[in-house]
Amino acid sequence: MSARNVATGREAARSTRWILLICCLTVVFDGYDLIVYGTVVPDLLAYRPWALTPADVGHIGSLALVGTLAGALVVGTLTDIVGRRRTMIGCLVWFSIAMPLTALAPNPEIFTLLRFVTGLGLGGVIPTAIALTAEYSPARRRQLNNAVMFSGYSIGGMLAAVLALVLLPVGGFRIMFVIGIAPLVVVVPLAIRMLPESIAFLTAKGRHDEAAAYARRFGLAEYEPPTDSRPADPKRGLVETAKTIMGGRRLPMTSLLWIISVIGLLLVYGLNTWLPQLMRNAGYPMGSALTFLLVFNIGAVAGVIIAGALADRVGEKLVIACSFCVAAVAVLLFILRPATAPMLLVGALAGFGSNTQTLVNAFIGGLYPPQARATALGWALGVGRIGAIIGPTYGGYILTQVNAGALSANWSFYAFAIPAVLAAVLTVLVPRHRTDGPPPKKRIIPVTTNQEKLRDREK
C-alpha cells in the first residue's frame, strides 16, 4: 500500500480514538451490569419476601455468570464468522433490553433466569471489544490502549457504587437494574454510525477493497491484501483457527493462559460481589462499604492504565505477575482491620491487583494472529468464566463457613490471596510465542576487502 494513500498520523489517531471510545463505553455498561449485583447483595439479603441466605445470593450470582460463559464461548467464536461490528451491536442491544426486564422479576427464580439471559450478551462484548482494540492499535501501544479501553469495566463499577449510594436507600435493588437500558440510547447509535468492521474479518471474507479502505483510514500502512482474493471457507477457517490456538507449541501456552484467566476472573467477580458485605461484617456501615467499592474500582482504573503503559516498556509478563502479587498483599492487609483512610488506600491497591485480568486480556491478544484473535480471546474468557461463576459461590461459601464458626474470619481474605499468588507463578511460566507479524529481516552488511576499497577510491 502506498504511503501517500494512508491517512495522516493525526487523522488515523482521531479514527482510532472513536474505536477506543465506543469499545470503552460498551465495557463501562458491561462492567456496570455485572458489578451492580455486588452493590445490591446487602439489599437482597435484607429483602424479606425472598428470604435469601448468603449461599443463595452467591448461587444466584454464579448462575448469572453461566450466561457470560456461554456468551463468551459462542459469541467469541461467531465473531470471526459474522463479523465483529455486528457482534458488538447485537450484544449491546441484547443486554440493554434484558437488564430492565430483570428489575421486573417477581421471584428469585425469574430474577436468576433473567440474569442468565443478560449474561449471554455481556459475555460476548468483551472478546469483541478487545479484538477490535488490538487490531486497530499500533503494537507499541497495544497494552496501553487495551488498558484505557478496559478501564471502562471499573468505571462501570464506580458508576454502580455511586448510583447505589444515592438510589438504593430510596428505590431499592430494582432501580439499579432499570438503569441498564442506558446503552440502548447512549452507545448503540454511536456504534452503528462510527464502529468499523474488522480488517481481518473483511480479508477472510474476500472483501479486500473494504479492508484496504479501513487500513488507509486508520493509518495501517503495513496492510497488504492477500494474493488469493477468494473468500475463506467458514468451516475450514474455524478448523484452522482451532489449530492455531491449540496446535503445536501453542498448546502449553494456551492451557496456562486459560488457567490464569480462571483465577483472574475469580478474583474480579468474587471480590466485586462480596467486598461490600465483607466490609459490613468487619464493622463498617453500609455507606462506608459502598464507598470502599467505589475506591476499589478507582484503584482498578488508575492502576491498570499505569500498569498497561509500563507493560509496553518493561514487559507484560513481569507487570502481570507483580500485579497479581499486589492483589494478594492488599487483600491480606485487610486482616489488620485498618482505619478508614488506610483502608481506602489498601482498597485502591486491591482494586488494581484484582483486575489484573485486564492486562492478561491484552497479553493474550498479542500472542495470536489477527484472524484468530477474537476466537482466542473468546475461548480464554469463556473458560475463564468458570472462575467468574465460581467466584460469587466461592465467596458465599467461605462467608457462610465463617458465620457458622467453621473457619476463622481471616479466611474471608486468605481465600482470595492464595489464588492471586498462584496466578502470579503461572504467569511467569507462560512461554512466549508471539505472532504479531513476520520476524524482522536481518540486515546484511557486505564485507569489503582492502583491494575493493582502493579501487573505489581510484574511481
Side-chain angles (χ1 to χ4, degrees):
M1 178 181 298
S2 171
R4 66 188 177 191
N5 292 328
V6 179
T8 66
R10 184 175 298 178
E11 292 170 343
R14 186 184 303 115
S15 298
T16 301
R17 282 196 291 270
W18 275 112
I19 297 177
L20 284 175
L21 175 63
I22 294 167
C23 290
C24 185
L25 286 174
T26 300
V27 175
V28 165
F29 288 105
D30 179 277
Y32 173 87
D33 289 356
L34 287 169
I35 296 175
V36 72
Y37 186 72
T39 70
V40 303
V41 161
D43 263 41
L44 287 173
L45 289 171
Y47 189 56
R48 292 185 178 181
W50 288 2
L52 298 172
T53 67
D56 293 331
V57 171
H59 184 60
I60 291 172
S62 292
L63 285 179
L65 292 166
V66 172
T68 66
L69 167 61
L73 286 173
V74 176
V75 178
T77 302
L78 288 177
T79 295
D80 289 322
I81 299 174
V82 304
R84 294 172 192 173
R85 172 184 158 86
R86 290 181 183 175
T87 299
M88 178 80 83
I89 295 171
C91 288
L92 274 166
V93 172
W94 183 284
F95 72 72
S96 298
I97 293 174
M99 275 291 284
L101 290 177
T102 305
L104 303 176
N107 54 54
E109 292 75 24
I110 300 298
F111 182 83
T112 303
L113 175 62
L114 288 170
R115 289 296 289 159
F116 170 83
V117 171
T118 304
L120 292 173
L122 295 173
V125 297
I126 295 296
T128 310
I130 295 170
L132 280 171
T133 300
E135 183 169 5
Y136 283 103
S137 296
R140 67 183 184 279
R141 290 177 58 89
R142 180 174 294 124
Q143 273 284 3
L144 178 58
N145 282 359
N146 180 75
V148 170
M149 180 276 295
F150 210 78
S151 67
Y153 182 88
S154 297
I155 293 172
M158 292 161 54
L159 181 64
V162 170
L163 290 175
L165 283 168
V166 176
L167 298 177
L168 274 178
V170 295
F173 69 89
R174 295 182 187 276
I175 195 171
M176 299 299 294
F177 294 96
V178 173
I179 296 169
I181 198 173
L184 200 61
V185 179
V186 176
V187 188
V188 171
L190 189 62
I192 291 173
R193 179 176 176 81
M194 301 298 296
L195 191 68
E197 183 52 88
S198 160
I199 292 176
F201 170 77
L202 293 173
T203 302
K205 293 297 182 182
R207 294 157 62 181
H208 303 300
D209 290 342
E210 293 177 66
Y214 278 129
R216 287 193 298 269
R217 175 181 168 189
F218 290 92
L220 303 178
E222 69 276 11
Y223 171 78
E224 291 292 341
T227 53
D228 186 358
S229 60
R230 293 173 299 176
D233 179 5
K235 293 181 180 179
R236 182 179 177 183
L238 186 58
V239 171
E240 292 299 320
T241 298
K243 289 180 180 178
T244 299
I245 296 170
M246 300 295 295
R249 291 182 296 165
R250 288 197 184 92
L251 180 58
M253 178 187 76
T254 297
S255 301
L256 282 171
L257 291 170
W258 285 4
I259 297 171
I260 293 167
S261 295
V262 168
I263 298 173
L265 289 174
L266 182 147
L267 293 173
V268 171
Y269 291 99
L271 289 171
N272 273 298
T273 298
W274 285 109
L275 268 175
Q277 189 62 33
L278 289 175
M279 301 313 297
R280 291 192 71 186
N281 285 4
Y284 296 96
M286 180 62 180
S288 295
L290 289 174
T291 300
F292 177 82
L293 187 62
L294 174 61
V295 172
F296 181 86
N297 283 286
I298 290 174
V301 172
V304 168
I305 290 176
I306 294 170
L310 190 62
D312 285 326
R313 289 168 172 77
V314 303
E316 296 161 305
K317 286 174 66 173
L318 175 62
V319 173
I320 291 170
C322 289
S323 298
F324 277 124
C325 289
V326 168
V329 171
V331 169
L332 290 175
L333 286 174
F334 289 131
I335 295 173
L336 302 177
R337 301 293 194 273
T340 301
M343 179 202 69
L344 294 178
L345 176 60
V346 173
L349 290 174
F352 155 58
S354 63
N355 281 273
T356 303
Q357 184 62 34
T358 300
L359 303 175
V360 175
N361 293 337
F363 186 43
I364 293 171
L367 292 171
Y368 298 93
Q371 65 272 18
R373 188 170 288 148
T375 301
L377 285 164
W379 288 5
L381 288 171
V383 174
R385 294 289 176 183
I386 296 171
I389 292 165
I390 293 172
T393 297
Y394 176 63
Y397 172 78
I398 295 295
L399 188 60
T400 300
Q401 295 302 305
V402 168
N403 291 342
L407 293 173
S408 71
N410 291 345
W411 268 100
S412 298
F413 305 105
Y414 294 152
F416 291 104
I418 293 170
V421 173
L422 177 59
V425 173
L426 294 178
T427 299
V428 175
L429 298 178
V430 174
R432 294 303 302 268
H433 184 61
R434 275 201 170 277
T435 52
D436 290 334
K441 295 181 180 179
K442 293 182 179 180
R443 184 182 176 189
I444 301 175
I445 302 175
V447 178
T448 306
T449 63
N450 290 332
Q451 291 181 348
E452 288 172 337
K453 290 180 180 177
L454 289 173
R455 284 199 298 268
D456 290 340
R457 289 177 184 172
E458 290 175 358
K459 291 179 181 178

